[in-house]
Amino acid sequence: MEKFKQILLDINELIVFKHSVFALPFIMTAMIVASSIKNGSMWFGFRLLFLGVICAVSARSFAMAFNRFMDEDIDRPNPRCANRPSVDGRIGRLNLILFILFCALVFIATTYFINDLAFYLSVPILVVLGGYSIFKRFCSIAHLVLGFCLGLAPIAGAIAVTQSIPMWSVLLCFGVMFWTAGFDVLYSLQDMEYDKSAGLFSIPSRYGEDASMFISALFHTIAVIFWLFFCWGAGLGIWAYVGVIISGIILLAEHKIVRKDFSKIDRAFFTLNGYLSFVFFCFIWLDLFL
């Protein structure tokens, strides 16, 4: 029993389950908006709630585990990554492959019970999720690829409820994409020197600190613009726009923290972005409720 518990702890450390907070609120945002438009009610049922959460967790776990598998050679020499379970031997390569396959099968099987479109797109989505691990080795747009991976969350939420891809979900997707890319650029500042020595194509390693701060701010500005277009495209009201403005203020605070003290990057990355996604969802919910 203790060994099984330790395995679960190691897997949790590998995929950092608590960071699901970044994507889940945007999936739920899309689902309540889609349900409101389609059914006149935010509630889409316990069945879709359960299946949606399973899909979100399994897809993210697949992406994180695949990334750890592909990155072992560049994580091992990096002091910041040396204690990861995929590097220090707690989770072997074979077990990691089995976990990746398990997550992929759970995701595909779950989409089968949602609707046909979700099932047909399940494998292409997994291919996109795995693509980030490859892009970072040869192209600086890897930050945007990672952003697009998270941006698929609201599109998936809309598909689950409506079996279609409405334009407002695409606008929300692009907002999430640029939001994620922006904070990933900031997070990559921690590894700027290592990425240079390892020949990785992160924006900080290619363009330096000042340019990275500017590019991150630009990405976040574009994210807020897309979120405003999402509110318009979905026909939302004043409280939704208030939520976007507050989200923009949180992003501004994130940049102030990082500019003032690089040692606070973890706080800006994990805490503030976790708050942002939750605040965003709450204001959309409030708008629909009122």
Side-chain angles (χ1 to χ4, degrees):
M1 186 63 183
E2 285 300 318
K3 185 177 180 181
F4 179 71
K5 187 186 295 186
Q6 186 59 49
I7 291 173
L8 291 179
L9 290 173
D10 291 340
I11 290 174
N12 180 59
E13 185 179 341
L14 178 79
I15 64 174
V16 200
F17 179 76
K18 64 182 179 180
H19 293 169
S20 299
V21 70
F22 293 157
L24 273 174
F26 285 103
I27 295 174
M28 294 304 156
T29 295
M31 292 180 82
I32 63 174
V33 170
S35 184
S36 264
I37 293 173
K38 181 183 179 182
N39 307 317
S41 166
M42 284 188 286
W43 182 233
F44 43 81
F46 283 109
R47 177 180 174 276
L48 271 185
L49 176 63
F50 175 75
L51 294 174
V53 170
I54 294 297
C55 275
V57 172
S58 59
R60 186 188 175 280
S61 298
F62 165 85
M64 287 294 293
F66 185 78
N67 184 53
R68 296 291 186 253
F69 178 80
M70 294 294 294
D71 281 4
E72 185 185 350
D73 62 324
I74 58 177
D75 283 348
R76 192 174 295 281
N78 188 344
R80 192 175 64 82
C81 306
N83 293 326
R84 286 176 174 171
S86 55
V87 175
D88 62 16
R90 280 177 287 162
I91 298 179
R93 299 280 284 179
L94 177 59
N95 287 336
L96 193 51
I97 291 172
L98 292 174
F99 181 71
I100 291 167
L101 292 174
F102 171 76
C103 292
L105 289 173
V106 168
F107 176 72
I108 294 169
T110 305
T111 61
Y112 177 81
F113 294 101
I114 294 179
N115 57 51
D116 289 344
L117 182 59
F119 180 64
Y120 296 150
L121 292 177
S122 59
V123 173
I125 284 175
L126 291 178
V127 172
V128 172
L129 294 179
Y132 164 69
S133 302
I134 301 167
F135 264 87
K136 73 168 86 170
R137 294 173 181 264
F138 67 87
C139 186
S140 294
I141 68 164
H143 304 281
L144 287 167
V145 175
L146 175 64
F148 185 65
C149 290
L150 262 74
L152 288 173
I155 289 181
I159 289 173
V161 176
T162 67
Q163 199 168 180
S164 65
I165 304 177
M167 180 52 67
W168 59 260
S169 71
V170 176
L171 295 170
L172 183 53
C173 164
F174 283 128
V176 174
M177 180 180 79
F178 280 100
W179 165 60
T180 304
F183 70 65
D184 190 56
V185 170
L186 292 181
Y187 192 68
S188 296
L189 287 168
Q190 296 178 109
D191 293 326
M192 181 168 59
E193 295 304 322
Y194 175 76
D195 288 351
K196 286 179 183 178
S197 65
L200 297 176
F201 286 76
S202 68
I203 284 177
S205 71
R206 294 286 130 179
Y207 304 107
E209 176 188 321
D210 292 339
S212 297
M213 293 295 295
F214 172 79
I215 291 169
S216 175
L218 178 63
F219 282 170
H220 281 157
T221 301
I222 295 172
V224 171
I225 292 171
F226 270 115
W227 284 336
L228 291 171
F229 277 126
F230 153 69
C231 293
W232 169 77
L236 301 176
I238 185 64
W239 288 108
Y241 289 96
V242 171
V244 172
I245 291 169
I246 293 175
S247 297
I249 292 171
I250 292 174
L251 290 176
L252 182 62
E254 180 178 328
H255 282 266
K256 283 193 171 184
I257 289 171
V258 175
R259 284 183 182 276
K260 187 175 180 180
D261 186 353
F262 269 20
S263 68
K264 301 283 181 61
I265 286 178
D266 273 1
R267 175 186 166 196
F269 181 77
F270 299 123
T271 307
L272 289 183
N273 285 302
Y275 285 147
L276 185 150
S277 57
F278 182 70
V279 165
F280 191 96
F281 168 78
C282 287
F283 273 91
I284 301 300
W285 180 89
L286 178 64
D287 187 80
L288 294 172
F289 179 76
L290 294 177

